[in-house]
């Protein structure tokens, strides 16, 4: 899972976070999103897609589960489903390098 | 599982017709509206066909749009695979009568950590349903959904129940297909039926004596009655699944008192004036006793009286049948040219029994004969599993009678003198009349004898009459003196019958 699929790990990336409405699960995921963006200090952008508000987008992307964090720039796309609060794990899965490697999230 | 819903059994659940006509009869008119039905089956048992037919009937006949949630094949694959059944899925999509939710596997890497829900799927499904103003929804197959989240079975169960509940709340009639591992094992993998289904239907494609036997069985209908047991089905081009039911057939045929000729005036006299218009007569005899001659007379007698006659031959080729007829002074070619006769010959082995039944039904509906002969049932019996043959006979005879057609079937005895064939055992109670043709020994001579054993609703000659066959057909002679044994050693059951 630690193999990077990103051609250039230093470049700014774009991820999508699919959530459903504003229930507790969605709120937790949105909070984690902010921490991830903070962690990479602007090196990453995470667009939020609310599948309830935009089901067509969910259909296009073939989203079944929420929350799903998705990198659609890679082939094939990579998806992390469920709990994205473990930021080190998230960054590792999507092949991002932390700006401050001394910070321990676990 | 006791739920509030079980307590609130609606005595008159509204029914949603599936379009599989005989199946709708099994479930008292269709699937209950607003309920969830699981259709379980092994791979290749026809689940997707059943599901698509359910949607197709809603769209094309009842103006009820549908949603197809596919977890396995892509929408394009389904379009292509279902085209042979005459379903124009592409057009329905263009007209927004059918909306797909494509949940078929896509190429992506996936990791699941912690809790998730299937809100993505649920919102897509509800969105599609509202988009099309759908009344029917298919999820094919939910087993794939479990396989997609293989380590998260509990979550998938919870979410599937949530989806089913939401769809029900929207008044949708839900059909979910589920994979089975074996024909007679557990109902479905992951035991989906236990937590999500109001109704359970099983499709089977079992191997029986080296032949595939397709059946459908209604296992459970919450809050309503249904017909129990397996019913044969077949997949028909341009139609889809056709069920060939036994138990849902109603004895609704009226009995006619109108007589028609057997084609032989002397035999008519023995029968008290001919066969009844809507009756089935069985002619039983060993090989060479004259069964095919009786069939030929029956067809020619009908044609001469201005009727239309249909022959379904399972033993001889057209050429042989025409030559035989010519040998007895009957010109089948001329009768066919006049449109009074249709002769169809097919090997019993060419298709399964339900297909034979459908073929005969289609022939009857197309040609609209006044009389039909089937020569012979014994040949058909070769290819039939035992239970299947009885079902076939019941369906066939009731179909013939419903159309008020005079029917003549033959059965071949294995032994030359006396005895009875298996088809006789099956059919003896189903036919209205039975005529026996027998070799009868008298001193040093072997004669042919004919007797009318049973003639429902009529007096008939009880004598065993001699007959001879020559270039002009069958000629009845004097009764036998004494009492020849026409039954052989198996007489007891026949006498009880009488």
């Amino acid at each position: 899972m630690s193999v990077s699929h990103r051609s250039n790990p230093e470049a700014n990336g774009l991820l999508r976070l699919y959530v459903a409405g504003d229930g507790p699960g969605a709120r937790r995921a949105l909070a984690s999103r902010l921490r991830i963006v903070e962690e990479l200090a602007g090196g990453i952008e995470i667009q939020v897609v609310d599948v309830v508000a935009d089901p067509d987008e969910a259909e296009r992307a073939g989203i079944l589960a929420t929350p799903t964090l998705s990198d659609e720039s890679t082939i094939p796309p990579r998806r992390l489903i469920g709990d994205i609060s473990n930021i080190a794990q998230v960054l590792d899965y999507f092949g991002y390098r932390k700006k401050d490697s001394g910070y321990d999230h676990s | 599982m006791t739920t509030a819903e079980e307590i609130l059994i609606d005595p008159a659940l509204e029914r949603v017709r599936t379009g599989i006509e005989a199946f709708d009869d099994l479930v008292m008119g269709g699937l209950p509206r607003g309920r969830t039905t699981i259709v379980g089956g092994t791979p290749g048992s026809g689940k997707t066909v059943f599901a698509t037919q359910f949607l197709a009937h809603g769209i094309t006949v009842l103006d009820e749009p549908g949603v197809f949630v596919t977890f396995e094949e892509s929408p394009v694959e389904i379009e292509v695979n279902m085209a042979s059944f005459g379903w124009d899925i592409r057009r329905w999509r263009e007209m927004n009568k059918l909306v797909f939710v494509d949940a078929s596997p896509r190429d992506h890497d996936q990791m699941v950590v912690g809790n998730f829900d299937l809100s993505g799927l649920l919102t897509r499904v509800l969105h599609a349903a509202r988009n099309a103003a759908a009344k029917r929804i298919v999820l094919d197959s939910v087993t794939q959904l479990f396989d997609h989240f293989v380590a998260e079975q509990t979550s998938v169960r919870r979410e599937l129940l949530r989806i089913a509940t939401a769809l029900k709340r929207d008044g949708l009639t839900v059909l979910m297909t589920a994979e089975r591992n074996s024909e007679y094992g557990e109902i479905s993998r992951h035991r989906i039926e236990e937590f999500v289904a109001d109704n359970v239907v099983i499709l089977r494609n079992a191997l029986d004596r080296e032949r595939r036997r397709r059946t459908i069985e209604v296992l459970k209908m919450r809050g309503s009655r249904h017909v129990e047991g397996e019913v044969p089905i077949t997949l028909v081009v341009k139609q889809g699944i056709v069920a060939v039911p036994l138990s849902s057939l109603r004895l609704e045929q009226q009995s006619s008192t109108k007589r028609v000729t057997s084609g032989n005036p002397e035999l008519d006299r023995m029968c008290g004036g001919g066969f009844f218009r809507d009756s089935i007569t069985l002619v039983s005899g060993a090989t060479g006793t004259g069964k095919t001659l009786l069939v030929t007379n029956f067809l020619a007698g009908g044609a001469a009286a201005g009727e239309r006659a249909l022959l379904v031959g399972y033993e001889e080729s057209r050429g042989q049948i025409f030559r035989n007829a010519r040998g007895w002074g009957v010109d089948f070619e001329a009768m066919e040219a006049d449109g009074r006769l249709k002769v169809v010959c097919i090997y019993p082995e060419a298709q399964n029994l339900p297909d034979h039944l459908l073929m005969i039904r289609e022939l009857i509906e197309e040609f609209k004969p006044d009389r039909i002969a089937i020569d012979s049932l014994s040949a058909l019996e070769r290819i039939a599993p035992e239970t299947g043959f009885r079902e076939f006979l019941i369906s066939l005879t009731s179909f013939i009678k419903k159309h008020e057609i005079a029917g003549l079937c033959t059965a071949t005895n294995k032994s030359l003198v006396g005895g009875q064939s298996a088809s006789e055992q099956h059919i003896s109670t189903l036919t209205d009349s039975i005529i026996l043709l027998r070799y009868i020994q008298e001193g040093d001579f072997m004669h042919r004898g004919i007797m009318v054993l049973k003639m429902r609703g009529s007096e008939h000659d009880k004598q065993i009459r001699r007959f001879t066959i020559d270039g002009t057909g069958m000629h009845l002679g004097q009764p036998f003196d004494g009492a020849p044994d026409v039954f052989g050693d198996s007489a007891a059951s026949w006498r009880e019958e009488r």
Side-chain angles (χ1 to χ4, degrees):
Chain A
M1 284 303 178
S2 59
V3 180
S4 172
H5 284 240
R6 285 159 46 76
S7 47
N8 180 7
E10 301 295 335
N12 277 7
L14 174 66
L15 300 184
R16 280 166 189 260
L17 175 62
Y18 296 89
V19 294
D22 58 357
R27 284 204 299 270
R28 259 198 308 278
L30 291 173
S32 299
R33 165 186 173 264
L34 288 179
R35 286 171 53 213
I36 295 164
V37 172
E38 213 170 88
E39 181 73 29
L40 286 179
I44 190 169
E45 190 188 340
I46 302 179
Q47 286 182 352
V48 177
V49 179
D50 180 355
V51 294
V52 177
D54 194 354
D56 286 324
E57 187 52 33
E59 182 65 42
R60 190 201 57 74
I63 298 297
L64 300 178
T66 52
T68 291
L69 187 58
S70 176
D71 182 350
E72 278 147 47
S73 67
T74 61
I75 298 171
R78 311 206 84 191
R79 283 178 182 172
L80 185 59
I81 292 167
D83 182 2
I84 55 166
S85 63
N86 185 337
I87 289 170
Q89 184 186 40
V90 170
L91 296 182
D92 187 42
Y93 180 68
F94 289 105
Y96 284 93
R97 198 173 297 161
K98 281 186 282 185
K99 300 277 172 170
D100 174 14
S101 51
Y103 195 88
D104 186 7
H105 288 279
S106 56
Chain B
M1 193 159 86
T2 309
T3 61
E5 190 188 71
E6 252 179 341
I7 300 157
L8 296 169
I9 287 172
D10 184 348
L13 291 167
E14 193 198 336
R15 299 296 169 157
V16 178
R17 297 198 73 85
T18 63
I20 302 162
E21 208 172 287
F23 171 79
D24 286 338
D25 288 344
L26 297 182
V27 292
M28 311 298 146
L31 300 175
R33 185 172 300 284
R35 296 275 173 115
T36 302
T37 302
I38 292 273
V39 176
T42 52
S45 59
K47 296 184 296 296
T48 303
V49 182
F50 187 98
T52 310
Q53 194 164 356
F54 167 71
L55 293 176
H57 190 70
I59 292 163
T60 59
V61 180
L62 300 168
D63 196 25
E64 292 189 357
V67 168
F68 197 128
V69 185
T70 174
F71 295 102
E72 202 162 356
E73 298 167 286
S74 72
V76 171
E77 283 172 318
I78 292 170
E79 253 181 45
V80 171
N81 295 344
M82 295 296 128
S84 67
F85 296 110
W87 298 324
D88 195 350
I89 290 176
R90 178 172 303 230
R91 224 184 89 242
W92 302 341
R93 292 179 78 180
E94 285 163 7
M95 294 162 66
N96 208 35
K97 294 286 183 196
L98 179 64
V99 174
F100 271 98
V101 172
D102 182 3
S104 61
R106 301 191 190 187
D107 185 21
H108 62 246
D109 291 335
Q110 171 182 306
M111 185 164 80
V112 180
V113 182
N115 282 331
F116 68 94
D117 60 35
L118 294 180
S119 295
L121 177 61
L122 176 61
T123 53
R124 286 165 67 188
V125 170
L126 289 176
H127 179 62
R130 281 164 196 161
N131 216 347
K135 298 266 191 257
R136 304 173 178 218
I137 184 156
V138 159
L139 289 87
D140 180 46
S141 75
V142 289
T143 309
Q144 293 290 320
L145 187 60
F146 282 87
D147 292 349
H148 190 86
F149 297 102
V150 75
E152 322 288 333
Q153 305 290 294
T154 319
S155 301
V156 178
R157 284 168 81 107
R158 183 195 66 223
E159 289 301 303
L160 197 57
L161 182 59
R162 190 161 72 99
I163 290 169
T165 309
L167 295 175
K168 269 167 130 174
R169 203 184 305 127
D170 274 16
L172 290 156
T173 307
V174 185
L175 195 157
M176 296 184 184
T177 66
E179 296 278 341
R180 309 184 68 217
N181 289 330
S182 63
E183 296 300 352
Y184 293 94
E186 59 177 358
I187 293 172
S188 70
R189 283 167 56 194
H190 313 297
R191 313 187 73 80
I192 293 156
E193 73 286 350
E194 285 181 0
F195 60 96
V196 80
D198 298 306
N199 318 308
V200 178
V201 174
I202 303 282
L203 291 167
R204 290 194 179 85
N205 184 18
L207 207 51
D208 184 351
R209 280 210 255 157
E210 297 176 8
R211 298 191 149 265
R212 285 280 163 194
R213 180 172 141 83
R214 291 180 180 276
T215 63
I216 192 164
E217 180 187 10
V218 182
L219 209 62
K220 159 175 158 185
M221 290 290 278
R222 184 176 286 170
S224 72
R225 289 186 310 127
H226 64 89
V227 175
E228 296 184 341
E230 289 182 52
V231 169
I233 57 168
T234 184
L235 298 182
V236 182
V237 172
K238 298 278 166 212
Q239 284 185 53
I241 292 178
V242 178
V244 187
L246 164 66
S247 28
S248 71
L249 290 168
R250 293 167 285 264
L251 285 168
E252 62 191 9
Q253 311 92 2
Q254 63 271 53
S255 277
S256 165
T257 51
K258 187 168 179 274
R259 302 268 188 167
V260 296
T261 179
S262 69
N264 183 316
E266 291 167 288
L267 180 58
D268 286 348
R269 266 194 295 283
M270 282 182 79
C271 295
F275 298 158
F276 286 113
R277 154 98 290 160
D278 54 355
S279 75
I280 312 283
T281 304
L282 176 70
V283 178
S284 158
T287 179
T289 45
K291 295 185 300 297
T292 301
L293 172 56
L294 267 191
V295 166
T296 306
N297 285 343
F298 177 71
L299 299 169
E307 295 184 6
R308 291 157 75 81
L310 172 66
L311 170 62
V312 184
Y314 290 110
E315 293 207 326
E316 293 177 295
S317 68
R318 275 178 70 87
Q320 282 172 303
I321 288 171
F322 281 59
R323 195 183 59 214
N324 293 342
R326 221 175 296 126
W328 296 311
V330 173
D331 188 352
F332 273 180
E333 273 104 349
M335 286 163 59
E336 268 207 331
D338 285 351
R340 301 229 171 274
L341 177 70
K342 189 178 179 75
V343 177
V344 176
C345 295
I346 182 171
Y347 276 111
E349 283 79 6
Q351 54 192 11
N352 281 330
L353 216 45
D355 296 311
H356 279 294
L357 182 63
L358 288 175
M359 187 196 78
I360 295 174
R361 277 162 43 163
E362 275 165 20
L363 281 169
I364 288 174
E365 270 156 10
E366 271 170 40
F367 185 66
K368 303 193 189 331
D370 302 290
R371 51 178 65 200
I372 179 173
I374 295 171
D375 190 22
S376 71
L377 288 176
S378 313
L380 266 188
E381 197 178 10
R382 287 205 303 263
I383 63 156
E386 243 158 70
T387 48
F389 190 65
R390 205 182 144 73
E391 284 163 11
F392 166 82
L393 280 182
I394 292 178
S395 300
L396 176 66
T397 52
S398 65
F399 184 82
I400 291 175
K401 292 171 102 170
K402 212 167 105 187
H403 284 68
E404 293 178 46
I405 296 169
L408 186 76
C409 306
T410 65
T412 308
N413 284 109
K414 288 201 180 80
S415 70
L416 288 177
V417 282
Q420 57 177 308
S421 71
S423 17
E424 281 177 333
Q425 291 168 3
H426 285 304
I427 204 177
S428 57
T429 53
L430 300 175
T431 58
D432 303 289
S433 311
I434 298 173
I435 295 171
L436 298 185
L437 300 177
R438 293 289 189 257
Y439 289 115
I440 292 167
Q441 193 178 0
E442 204 178 41
D444 293 339
F445 294 97
M446 195 60 109
H447 297 282
R448 287 192 176 96
I450 182 170
M451 78 170 292
V452 179
L453 185 67
K454 163 177 162 184
M455 183 88 194
R456 192 173 282 163
S458 170
E459 274 305 304
H460 62 89
D461 195 338
K462 310 281 195 304
Q463 287 175 317
I464 304 166
R465 301 274 295 273
R466 266 171 239 275
F467 72 92
T468 55
I469 297 175
D470 63 19
T472 59
M474 178 183 273
H475 303 283
L476 270 65
Q478 290 305 303
F480 284 93
D481 304 323
D485 182 5
V486 293
F487 298 111
D489 1 294
S490 49
S493 65
W494 281 93
R495 291 196 180 114
E496 273 166 28
E497 182 81 26
R498 302 267 297 137

